[in-house]
Amino acid sequence: MVSQSIESTRLKSLDLSCIWHPCTQMHDHQENIPLIPIKRAQGVYLYDFEENAYLDCISSWWVNLFGHCNPYINTKLKEQLDSLEHIIFAGFTHQPIVELSHRLLNLLDSKFGKCFYADNGSSAIEVALKMAFHSCVIQGKKKNKFLCLENAYHGETIGALSVGDIGIYTQVYQPLLLETLKIKAPVGENFKESLESLKSLLHRHKNEIVAFVLEPLIQCAGNMNMYSAKFVQEAVNLCQESGIYVIFDEIAVGFGRTGSLFAYQQCRVAPDFLCLSKGITGGYLPLSVVITSDEVYQLFYAPYEEHKAFLHSHSYTGNALACTCANAVLDIFQQDNVLENNAILSRFIWEKLQDLRAFNFVRNLRYCGMVFAFDLAGFEGKRKGLEVFNKGLKYGLLLRPLGNTIYLMPPYVLTQEQAGYIVESLTTILSTL
């Protein structure tokens, strides 16, 4: 135990001497937020060097669907490692990506016909933005604006930031960003004002707009704002009828997170571009994909001399190991009745969370599929979310609040007993605020 503690201290010191962590004010690690070296992980738990267990309530940034070191995914990954790890994906192909592409298309609406791969969510958004714009150029349409929702987040590359609206991410880079148009984000079933603003904006600018970008059902980094599938349906119909492409960012909400395999399936409309990442490999390796129609693909299909090729590439595009993990994830969905089991677990967690209504500062308790959230009201200017995070660690919970919004986005292998412990611990923590 002593040697483990020494090792933990050594790793923390070495880390802070040379690493700049993402989405972090590093100064916080001096006093507000502990840096915790993790030695191993199994199922829903992370273990530090003192063998303290932390229940991963947020699926390690929303990627880990079926638990850490999942035996089935491990086996498939090890098998693949002995035959092919990675090759250039320009002019070459391999079995894992061919299989994955056909399986994904067979799970989706018939309008989808082609998969274009990248290696992270922000890159997928960049691909979709460029592909939509380039499609307009090929068709002789002089469009240069994108449409998005207020309170949106779609990643942190320049294009992805441009279609976002969370000031902490976008404000400093404003001079670099693309010109975008924004409409009020719907909240719950309240979307009339949003639709009216969309209609007004389309009347004035429809010939300038390349595409409408949105996360269907949940604005995840936007404080888990959940909204109606009816809004998505009506907004998409308005845009597509106006000749505007629609890009769905299902990077976080795809692969069962909202209750259906893909969120768009609850909205009774299909986008022109579907962006997937995060849970696609079960949290194992970076991978993303933009799925679009044969119609879009054909716009770029021409002799080399016509200069219509879509020239966007990543060195690790179509990585064979990542695609193998993605195929294993689809196997688990197919074999284990994941969506049905999630529906039972989701209802159980939601019923347990009703206990939190006893606190008058808990507001807007909400859920969608396997995403649960509530807001801490009356603490303006106070980092109560950070306080919940730190106290959660003492109870063995890994939470990562969005400001003063507390949410749960657990792996699907969570048991009812573990879910009960999360809610009981949250109740105790909230009683100390």
Side-chain angles (χ1 to χ4, degrees), residues 126-139:
E126 294 285 331
V127 167
L129 296 176
K130 289 176 63 178
M131 197 176 282
F133 173 78
H134 198 161
S135 297
C136 290
V137 171
I138 291 172
Q139 296 174 82

Side-chain angles (χ1 to χ4, degrees), residues 248-280:
F248 274 4
D249 174 353
E250 291 216 29
I251 291 159
V253 299
F255 294 98
R257 188 55 74 176
T258 64
S260 51
L261 189 58
F262 301 103
Y264 89 85
Q265 293 166 332
Q266 298 179 47
C267 304
R268 300 184 179 182
V269 287
D272 301 287
F273 303 89
L274 180 66
C275 300
L276 304 173
S277 190
K278 288 194 182 290
I280 191 170

Side-chain angles (χ1 to χ4, degrees), residues 372-383:
F372 311 85
F374 60 90
D375 304 319
L376 301 177
F379 297 109
E380 287 72 19
K382 298 179 181 178
R383 300 178 73 183

Side-chain angles (χ1 to χ4, degrees), residues 40-290:
R40 62 187 181 91
Q42 185 68 52
V44 299
Y45 292 103
L46 312 179
Y47 296 88
D48 66 17
F49 282 79
E50 290 72 44
E51 286 300 312
N52 297 308
Y54 303 92
L55 203 161
D56 191 349
C57 301
I58 60 165
S59 298
S60 285
W61 253 344
W62 319 344
V63 300
N64 189 283
L65 302 187
F66 299 117
H68 298 276
C69 291
N70 179 281
Y72 183 77
I73 301 176
N74 281 3
T75 297
K76 292 297 182 180
L77 181 57
K78 290 173 183 175
E79 289 173 359
Q80 181 61 39
L81 193 59
D82 287 332
S83 60
L84 177 66
E85 83 298 348
H86 180 69
I87 57 168
I88 181 175
F89 199 57
F92 294 84
T93 192
H94 51 77
Q95 173 63 30
I97 201 166
V98 172
E99 179 184 353
L100 175 62
S101 302
H102 279 276
R103 293 179 75 177
L104 287 172
L105 292 173
N106 286 335
L107 291 168
L108 296 170
D109 190 276
S110 60
K111 78 176 289 181
F112 294 111
K114 292 293 184 292
C115 300
F116 189 98
Y117 288 87
D119 47 25
N120 64 78
S122 295
S123 293
I125 296 296
E126 294 285 331
V127 167
L129 296 176
K130 289 176 63 178
M131 197 176 282
F133 173 78
H134 198 161
S135 297
C136 290
V137 171
I138 291 172
Q139 296 174 82
K141 299 176 181 178
K142 296 182 179 180
K143 298 183 173 187
N144 63 353
K145 295 183 178 66
F146 289 91
L147 172 63
C148 59
L149 296 176
E150 293 178 356
N151 192 52
Y153 173 91
H154 297 289
E156 293 167 40
T157 49
I158 295 300
L161 275 178
S162 298
V163 291
D165 186 49
I166 299 177
I168 193 171
Y169 297 107
T170 61
Q171 190 171 5
V172 70
Y173 304 108
Q174 204 62 48
L176 302 178
L177 303 184
L178 306 173
E179 184 176 355
T180 57
L181 302 168
K182 297 179 176 65
I183 62 169
K184 182 178 177 63
V187 178
E189 296 298 321
N190 181 16
F191 59 85
K192 183 177 179 181
E193 185 180 349
S194 299
L195 274 183
E196 290 303 316
S197 65
L198 174 59
K199 291 175 183 177
S200 175
L201 190 147
L202 291 178
H203 178 72
R204 290 177 284 121
H205 298 285
K206 72 175 184 179
N207 293 326
E208 305 168 62
I209 300 171
V210 175
F212 179 33
V213 188
L214 72 160
E215 286 179 287
L217 302 183
I218 310 175
Q219 291 184 304
C220 291
N223 294 96
M224 295 297 166
N225 175 42
M226 301 177 187
Y227 61 94
S228 170
K230 184 66 173 174
F231 166 80
V232 178
Q233 181 184 30
E234 295 194 26
V236 167
N237 285 336
L238 284 170
C239 289
Q240 290 179 333
E241 288 167 4
S242 298
I244 294 168
Y245 287 125
V246 174
I247 299 169
F248 274 4
D249 174 353
E250 291 216 29
I251 291 159
V253 299
F255 294 98
R257 188 55 74 176
T258 64
S260 51
L261 189 58
F262 301 103
Y264 89 85
Q265 293 166 332
Q266 298 179 47
C267 304
R268 300 184 179 182
V269 287
D272 301 287
F273 303 89
L274 180 66
C275 300
L276 304 173
S277 190
K278 288 194 182 290
I280 191 170
T281 67
Y284 271 66
L285 289 165
L287 183 70
S288 66
V289 61
V290 178

